[in-house]
Amino acid sequence: MDLDPLQAFRERAVELIGSGLKKLGTETVLPVEIPPDGMGDFAFPCFPLAKELRKSPVEIAKAMAGHIGNDPMFCKIESAGPYVNFHISPNELVGRTLVSVLGLKGEFGNAPPTSQKINLEHTSANPNGPLHVGRARNPIIGDTLARILRRCGNDVTTEFYVDDMGKQQVTLTWGVENLTQEGEIHSKPDHAMVWYYQEASRRMEADPKVLAEINAMISRYEARDPDIAARVRANCEKVLAGMNQSMGRLGIKFDSFAWESKYIFDGSVEKIIEKLRSLECTSVDNGALYLDLNEFGISGKENKFFLTRGDGSSLYSTRDMAYHLDKLANYDSAIDVLGEDHRLKARVVGIGVRLLGQEKPIEPVFYSFVSLPEGKMSTRRGRVVYLDDLIDEAVAIARDEVEKRRPEVSEELKSSIADAVGTGAIRYNIIRIQAEKQLVFKWEEALNFEGNSAPFIQYSHARASSILRKAGESAGHDASLLTHPSEVQLAKMMARFPSVIKECGRSKESHLLAAYAYDLAAMFNQFYRDCPVLVAEEKLKSARLAMVKASKIVLGNALDTLGIMAPEEL
RNA sequence: GGACCUGUAGCUUAGCCAGGAUUGAGCGCUGGCCUUCUAAGCCAGAUGUCAUGGGUUCGAAUCCCAUCAGGUCCGCCA
């Protein structure tokens, strides 16, 4: 059984091209391509050989096709103009694909284990209020990538780096300790706590006395006052619990939490500052240690990247270096999902970690912010759409739809379908877009349930499930009966899944998987239209049921990798 | 001033990293399909100077240079 059914065909095509090239008398090795629809499954363009062989590409293609002859894995190997095209033998492909999918089930698409231990840090939002959709890309990209990399055979640990040392956290704590919230208090802790942060920020801006009090707290905190640390941490934990609850609704949970303050209190930040101080590329300005970015080919308005304040206390990036050294001591590599505003910092942290003698890779994955039509979201100003509100709205709309479409089913089932559809739609509508593209949040787009959306894919999965429910048990299948173009195309699409997972893992681009899941569902819908299953003659019915079973598995695996639920009915 | 990311149909987008045969989709729009496995579906149609201008190449949406537009960063904040 092949882990990757398409791979065998590709390898055979490459082999055949190799032998064809040899017969033409050239050592040149060239990659195969995927041709446009209808031109076969693998293509070999002959242009690059024209100069060397002093023949036209068309002649070369003809000669190649002649030399290659026939092969049982391909039903046709022919020249088409300057190309040699390979058409996979449908029987062979359908048979092998069904064996792989039905044999591997939930594991179909997975690569063999790599023994790579990866720490994947994502989200790491300041715990001063609920998650808003401006940053919601981060947990969704991070969690999807973790799922992909696990399927690629890696041992992945997801981690949330809790920034409990920032001014924002101290401001929140000052608010909690000095202000009293009136009126109804939100039952979810992050929503209840954000008022203190917003109100304390306002007071701090208006009243220098408040600012002085907060600054005094920060100084004591950085001087490792354990009392302040405990008070700040307690507030962070409350907000964090609320954030985790929100992410949990989207199927996102973390394996580990790393607290920034740890690296101050355990002395590791102090140690690396000493080490950095001893390096030739660092200098001191008014007592503050800095790195000269010019030496690393980075230029800007200001080329000094400060590592400490004038009093020798640490800065965020320096603590981040300590954190990354700690991570890399325990993992083979680190992946950080970061907003695009962190690009320079991430680069400098990477430089710092190298300077400190750690060579293991840190790979950043960047995304652009989600903004509102009226501008950037801001927790402090309260100009935000909270993730919880988006989820509530999506689930409520899905619930209305279920009520309309399936009035007969139980309340419990209605709720679970609405939950799967609402949360799935949110994840899908964010992950389907390439991370670097800037995104303007629009309710109607975020709540899209039609066409290129999660419910479209979930719907195909539900239809497959429904057919299987009605069919009952079936015996073996004869794949050679599956000759309808829609059956062959569907099998081909399923066979692609392992290479899509591989490619997503290589490029760290999860949107490719979303596109694949959509294409697969669309292909299943065509099959569903063209190939009746339950009314087919007995042998054909069994064969088609195998197709449906396999489709359900691959759709389910794709949705699972996207972190989207795959209900049995919709 | 310097650096990085993005620019493809009215809107949203895939393809760009690894150049190759007609640039694929979704929404919206026009028309058709529920007495056959769930119409969150299917089919047909209209819609593209691939931001602009050069260059490299047999061949450029894809690579290089310049320009324009949007975003981000260049803080002894995080």
Side-chain angles (χ1 to χ4, degrees), chain A residues 311-368:
Chain A
D311 63 5
S313 63
S314 69
L315 293 167
Y316 174 83
S317 292
T318 321
R319 302 195 285 264
D320 213 11
M321 287 175 198
Y323 168 50
H324 278 84
L325 285 175
D326 185 32
K327 279 203 271 198
L328 292 173
N330 298 302
Y331 295 89
D332 297 311
S333 67
I335 295 175
D336 300 342
V337 181
L338 301 167
E340 59 177 341
D341 54 334
H342 282 71
R343 279 193 132 101
L344 176 64
K345 273 153 287 188
R347 208 166 148 193
V348 175
V349 168
I351 289 169
V353 166
R354 293 283 167 281
L355 289 173
L356 292 161
Q358 178 54 264
E359 295 292 331
K360 288 179 190 169
I362 303 173
E363 231 181 304
V365 173
F366 297 106
Y367 65 92
S368 299

Side-chain angles (χ1 to χ4, degrees), chain A residues 488-500:
Chain A
V488 176
Q489 288 305 109
L490 178 57
K492 250 177 218 177
M493 191 60 86
M494 292 195 262
R496 274 185 54 207
F497 183 56
S499 55
V500 170

Side-chain angles (χ1 to χ4, degrees), chain A residues 57-196:
Chain A
V58 179
E59 283 176 85
I60 298 170
K62 251 186 207 156
M64 283 273 290
H67 285 313
I68 290 170
N70 294 320
D71 188 89
M73 289 182 98
F74 299 96
C75 61
K76 201 161 59 171
I77 301 169
E78 59 172 5
S79 64
Y83 297 88
V84 181
N85 291 339
F86 291 70
H87 298 253
I88 289 177
S89 162
N91 247 322
E92 201 68 23
L93 190 269
V94 172
R96 283 168 181 251
T97 303
L98 286 179
V99 167
S100 290
V101 177
L102 297 175
L104 293 162
K105 299 195 173 69
E107 314 272 297
F108 178 72
N110 296 12
T114 61
S115 82
Q116 279 288 303
K117 278 183 74 180
I118 300 176
N119 179 294
L120 195 160
E121 179 206 336
H122 70 83
T123 309
S124 304
N126 290 329
N128 53 13
L131 284 170
H132 59 72
V133 304
R135 298 268 180 189
R137 253 181 156 171
N138 199 319
I140 293 171
I141 290 171
D143 184 67
T144 308
L145 193 52
R147 289 164 186 264
I148 288 166
L149 292 172
R150 286 189 183 119
R151 282 200 185 265
C152 288
N154 304 293
D155 177 1
V156 180
T157 301
T158 54
E159 189 159 276
F160 188 120
Y161 181 52
V162 190
D163 173 14
D164 60 339
M165 287 297 295
K167 188 175 191 172
Q168 303 185 36
Q169 301 323 312
V170 176
T171 304
L172 170 68
T173 296
W174 183 92
V176 169
E177 293 173 354
N178 292 280
L179 304 171
T180 308
Q181 196 175 166
E182 280 170 19
E184 202 183 326
I185 294 170
H186 204 291
S187 59
K188 206 161 162 286
D190 46 346
H191 289 271
M193 298 285 282
V194 71
W195 179 88
Y196 295 106

Side-chain angles (χ1 to χ4, degrees), chain A residues 224 261-269 271 326:
Chain A
R224 305 190 201 178
S261 57
K262 175 194 161 191
Y263 301 101
I264 294 287
F265 282 81
D266 73 5
S268 57
V269 170
K271 264 183 226 151
D326 185 32

Side-chain angles (χ1 to χ4, degrees), chain A residues 242-255:
Chain A
M243 290 175 154
N244 281 322
Q245 214 178 313
S246 306
M247 288 188 280
R249 296 175 77 185
L250 296 177
I252 299 168
K253 64 175 184 3
F254 290 87
D255 300 317

